[in-house]
């Protein structure tokens, strides 16, 4: 069975975003100034739900690509949209993944088992 390229691209972009976020927020925490550390801690608390939702979306996106299942691809796209709502300032980090996931979902044929 042929794998969906758009789901794979969306999965890889989402994975790169999570790696970028890890290094970015890890660097933001490591500071000598107490005020900067408190500010970074507050920022991380605000962004954390967005990152968790994006991470779960990447997992579902990868499962949708690997197992060629429509439900996983749709769930990944919806979770990208939820991540966008959770922290609207970072919408551009998950917009392309969301669009590619929904297009990939529409390209996967319905199985006759369901």
């Amino acid at each position: 069975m042929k794998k969906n390229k758009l789901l794979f691209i969306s999965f890889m972009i989402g994975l790169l975003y999570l790696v970028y976020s890890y290094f970015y927020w890890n660097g933001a925490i490591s500071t000598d100034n107490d005020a900067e550390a408190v500010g970074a801690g507050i920022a991380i608390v605000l962004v954390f739900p967005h990152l968790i939702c994006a991470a779960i979306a990447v997992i579902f996106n990868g499962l949708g690509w690997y197992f060629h299942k429509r439900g996983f691809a749709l769930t990944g796209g919806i979770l990208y949209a939820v991540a966008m709502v959770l922290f609207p300032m970072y919408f551009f980090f998950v917009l392309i993944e969301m669009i590619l996931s929904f297009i990939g979902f529409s390209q996967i044929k319905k199985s006759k088992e369901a």
Side-chain angles (χ1 to χ4, degrees), residues 1-109:
M1 187 176 298
K2 189 175 178 184
K3 303 281 185 187
N4 192 308
K5 292 177 184 167
L6 294 178
L7 284 177
F8 181 72
I9 292 169
S10 176
F11 172 71
M12 291 307 294
I13 293 172
L15 201 59
L16 288 173
Y17 170 58
L18 291 177
V19 169
Y20 161 76
S21 294
Y22 172 76
F23 286 111
Y24 178 79
W25 290 108
N26 194 25
I29 293 174
S30 58
T31 182
D32 294 334
N33 190 346
D34 290 337
E36 287 179 9
V38 169
I42 292 171
I44 289 172
V45 167
L46 290 173
V47 175
F48 194 68
H50 163 81
L51 293 176
I52 292 298
C53 195
I56 296 170
V58 168
I59 292 169
F60 273 103
N61 203 355
L63 290 172
W65 170 76
Y66 185 76
F67 292 117
H68 203 69
K69 296 289 185 180
R70 289 174 54 94
F72 288 146
L74 179 62
T75 304
I78 291 170
L79 284 171
Y80 280 127
V82 171
M84 197 181 311
V85 170
L86 286 174
F87 201 73
M89 290 176 55
Y90 280 7
F91 80 94
F92 49 87
F93 285 118
V94 294
L95 181 66
I96 294 172
E97 294 98 301
M98 181 190 72
I99 292 170
L100 291 176
S101 291
F102 284 132
I103 294 172
F105 159 75
S106 69
Q107 290 177 348
I108 297 175
K109 304 291 183 221

